[in-house]
Amino acid sequence: MKVNPKDGAAIAMVTRMDALFLVDREAREQQLNMEERAALRREHAHSWVDEIHSECGKLRAQALPKSALGEAVSYTLNMWAKLRRCFEHAEVELSNNLAENSMRPVALGRKNWLHVGSAQAGPKVAAILSIVESCRRLGVPVKEYLLAALPGMSQRRHSEVAQLTPTRWMASRGLTKSL
């Protein structure tokens, strides 16, 4: 990310955001499970999150809307609910870099897959690839997971489907994966 070295407000904001990423890096380095990661976030990240939100509110009133800082502040505040989700659910990553990097081969190969089906098939293929990648990243046996989760999916209630995410499916079998 490019930050104007003369823009103290921008540098201070990036420093705050870097602190959030340091909390998650610490959790990965310590190989914490989800509950421990949530506790670490509560202990160290919440004050940074509150400070970022407060400072964004102040900066929105001061920065020109079309300036780089004004646009960054607006983007952050517009995405605030999604950012907060990371701190409500420990399994949600602060960054989407892991997901983007793991899906890069899919993006590179999509031109080769034009023959796979119709335009309506695209979202279905994307959903399946996302699930397979989640399983791979979590160490969940993909074939075993799909054989357990897919049959009868159309008859399940929405509340039951949430229990079939790879993370929850693995936990229901007494298996855990550290970060």
Side-chain angles (χ1 to χ4, degrees):
M1 171 188 312
K2 282 189 173 183
V3 177
N4 181 344
K6 296 178 183 176
D7 191 341
I11 291 170
M13 187 61 73
V14 169
T15 302
R16 290 179 186 101
M17 290 182 177
D18 285 347
L20 295 178
F21 286 98
L22 286 174
V23 172
D24 274 12
R25 181 172 23 169
E26 181 69 19
R28 277 191 303 280
E29 287 174 359
Q30 291 184 27
Q31 298 182 335
L32 301 180
N33 63 33
M34 293 299 168
E35 292 79 24
E36 294 165 332
R37 179 182 183 177
L40 188 70
R41 281 179 171 177
R42 277 191 302 275
E43 183 179 350
H44 297 289
H46 277 289
S47 61
W48 288 110
V49 171
D50 293 342
E51 192 173 322
I52 288 168
H53 191 258
S54 172
E55 198 59 30
C56 279
K58 292 175 192 172
L59 288 171
R60 179 179 256 175
Q62 299 169 359
L64 294 172
K66 295 294 182 183
S67 70
L69 181 60
E71 288 181 353
V73 166
S74 290
Y75 176 82
T76 302
L77 291 173
N78 290 340
M79 300 303 260
W80 194 253
K82 292 178 182 180
L83 175 63
R84 291 294 308 176
R85 232 174 263 141
C86 294
F87 301 99
E88 294 163 7
H89 306 284
E91 63 270 12
V92 177
E93 292 287 338
L94 185 58
S95 169
N96 67 349
N97 287 346
L98 290 172
E100 285 187 10
N101 289 339
S102 66
M103 296 303 286
R104 186 163 284 118
V106 174
L108 294 174
R110 74 177 151 230
K111 285 184 182 178
N112 297 328
W113 302 341
L114 289 175
H115 65 281
V116 168
S118 65
Q120 294 82 15
K124 294 173 186 171
V125 170
I128 291 168
L129 289 172
S130 178
I131 289 168
V132 168
E133 181 55 33
S134 293
C135 288
R136 186 189 68 75
R137 190 169 153 258
L138 293 167
V140 173
V142 176
K143 185 176 180 180
E144 185 180 334
Y145 169 76
L146 292 174
L147 287 171
L150 291 180
M153 182 67 78
S154 62
Q155 285 80 38
R156 296 183 197 269
R157 283 183 253 136
H158 186 42
S159 61
E160 295 173 317
V161 173
Q163 297 303 315
L164 292 175
T165 63
T167 302
R168 290 189 177 170
W169 179 84
M170 194 165 69
S172 73
R173 278 153 181 74
L175 307 170
T176 58
K177 166 81 172 167
S178 61
L179 297 174

